[in-house]
Amino acid sequence: MKRLPSIKQMQYLLALHEHQHFGRAAEACFIGQSTLSAAIANLEETLDAQLLERDHKTFIFTSLGEDIVRQARGIIEQCEELSQFAQCQGKPMSGPFRLGCIPTIAPFVLSDIMAQCRQQFPELQLLLREDTSDNSLHALAEGRLDMVLLALPYETGAFHTEVLAQDPFQLVMHRDWQGAGFEQDISHWPDESIFLLEREHCLTGHAVKACELEDNRKVNPFFATSLHTLTQMVNNKLGVTFMPQLAINAGLLQGTDLICQAPATGPASRDIGVAWRPTSSKLHSYRVLAELIRLVLQVKCQL
């Protein structure tokens, strides 16, 4: 019988790739460094392939090694799903489910999604993680998340994506600025009068595109770190901003002197959707949860 790599060897390989250090990888695996090193060497012998280029105390993964890591990650993911499938006796919407969500959506919907899941699927253990789109999709690729709730369009590679709702943008300003000319075309607005989030938040890109903010002179060079910071900047009459209806409906403007109105450019919105790996065995659970999220969003994003 042909020798095959073991699951444990592949787990050690993934740990080494993640930590890029034998000592830290061994510590993460709760084994000695010599044990980890021997396991990687045995894996190379079994595969008859060089996975690492070693130079004294340093190493790099070969191009083949990088390919092996990607395949090993998929195998480990399938093994984990097999184990969960057995533990849940093959029932969908049961056992752990890891949902990632971006910061400009998470505070306004996750509690409702969690409540609905507990009510409708008591055997589902929904595990939530809030992070940027890039970090969430990276975790999805590595099997550390099952699904990501994010704003679209966004480059998601080979992941399956599905739009669940449209989230309209509203122009938000201090009530004292009503009638100050912001109902006119944006080209007539003062320079640096528009405040937005930091560029790492995809909401900024969607607002720029949807609300036709290509004229950078209108955008203030200060970028807020969160929607709450953005709210305070505008409430102090430093400028105006564009906010998603999802956040407004959640009460983000309560206790402020801010008002909202339709953008001068006409109706503008972002799409909210989900992404998942099309190769996963949890497709039925993905679709059921996506439909649950769709129903929550339909209420949350209403004008």
Side-chain angles (χ1 to χ4, degrees):
M1 183 177 294
K2 185 177 181 179
R3 287 181 60 193
L4 297 174
S6 69
I7 298 298
K8 190 169 293 294
Q9 286 175 332
M10 288 187 284
Q11 288 176 319
Y12 292 165
L13 181 70
L14 294 183
L16 182 60
H17 188 267
E18 177 183 356
H19 295 280
Q20 294 293 315
H21 187 276
F22 273 94
R24 291 192 293 268
E27 184 178 348
C29 296
F30 303 101
I31 59 174
Q33 183 171 332
S34 59
T35 301
L36 178 70
S37 181
I40 299 298
N42 289 336
L43 178 59
E44 289 180 308
E45 182 181 349
T46 300
L47 296 174
D48 191 22
Q50 182 183 11
L51 306 181
L52 304 176
E53 290 183 16
R54 299 167 175 84
D55 181 18
H56 300 295
K57 294 184 179 182
T58 64
F59 70 90
I60 61 171
F61 277 78
T62 64
S63 58
L64 176 60
E66 294 286 352
D67 292 337
I68 296 297
V69 164
R70 283 190 287 271
Q71 293 203 31
R73 185 174 290 123
I75 293 171
I76 296 299
E77 176 193 327
Q78 291 179 352
C79 289
E80 290 175 346
E81 290 183 355
L82 176 64
S83 177
Q84 292 176 9
F85 183 83
Q87 292 172 10
C88 301
Q89 299 178 355
K91 294 184 295 185
M93 300 305 289
S94 61
F97 191 102
R98 300 156 298 181
L99 175 66
C101 188
I102 64 174
T104 57
I105 296 176
F108 315 116
V109 299
L110 287 188
S111 60
D112 292 81
I113 293 172
M114 177 70 81
Q116 289 294 321
C117 283
R118 286 177 175 172
Q119 179 181 348
Q120 299 182 35
F121 310 107
E123 296 183 21
L124 183 72
Q125 183 187 5
L126 190 60
L127 306 173
L128 305 176
R129 171 179 170 175
E130 180 181 339
D131 209 335
T132 63
S133 297
D134 281 345
N135 290 342
S136 296
L137 291 173
H138 183 67
L140 183 64
E142 293 188 343
R144 291 182 282 117
L145 290 176
D146 294 302
M147 176 186 286
V148 174
L149 178 59
L150 74 169
L152 299 170
Y154 198 87
E155 178 53 51
T156 58
F159 296 132
H160 171 82
T161 59
E162 190 169 319
V163 174
L164 303 181
Q166 279 195 326
D167 187 15
F169 282 109
Q170 295 287 344
L171 172 63
V172 175
M173 70 180 77
H174 197 280
R175 65 175 69 254
D176 291 349
W177 287 16
Q178 192 172 15
F182 287 97
E183 74 283 352
Q184 302 178 27
D185 184 87
I186 290 179
S187 62
H188 298 292
W189 294 8
D191 289 350
E192 300 185 358
S193 60
I194 303 173
F195 282 84
L196 298 172
L197 289 178
E198 288 181 335
R199 295 292 180 179
E200 66 178 10
H201 293 281
C202 59
L203 177 62
T204 294
H206 290 133
V208 167
K209 183 176 181 181
C211 302
E212 301 179 13
L213 307 180
E214 286 79 7
D215 187 352
N216 290 331
R217 294 174 302 173
K218 307 303 178 184
V219 178
N220 195 283
F222 172 85
F223 290 94
T225 57
S226 70
L227 286 173
H228 290 86
T229 302
L230 205 57
T231 300
Q232 293 305 311
M233 301 295 291
V234 179
N235 196 44
N236 281 286
K237 301 183 182 180
L238 299 178
V240 301
T241 191
F242 292 90
M243 284 193 180
Q245 192 70 43
L246 179 65
I248 296 171
N249 289 349
L252 188 62
L253 305 186
Q254 288 182 2
T256 71
D257 293 316
L258 301 180
I259 60 172
C260 56
Q261 63 187 45
T265 53
S269 64
R270 63 174 179 170
D271 291 332
I272 298 180
V274 289
W276 66 67
R277 297 180 303 277
T279 56
S280 174
S281 62
K282 295 183 179 180
L283 293 182
H284 179 71
S285 294
Y286 292 166
R287 297 195 180 281
V288 171
L289 186 60
E291 184 59 30
L292 182 149
I293 296 173
R294 185 196 307 275
L295 295 176
V296 171
L297 288 171
Q298 284 177 353
V299 175
K300 293 289 187 176
C301 294
Q302 284 182 348
L303 284 169

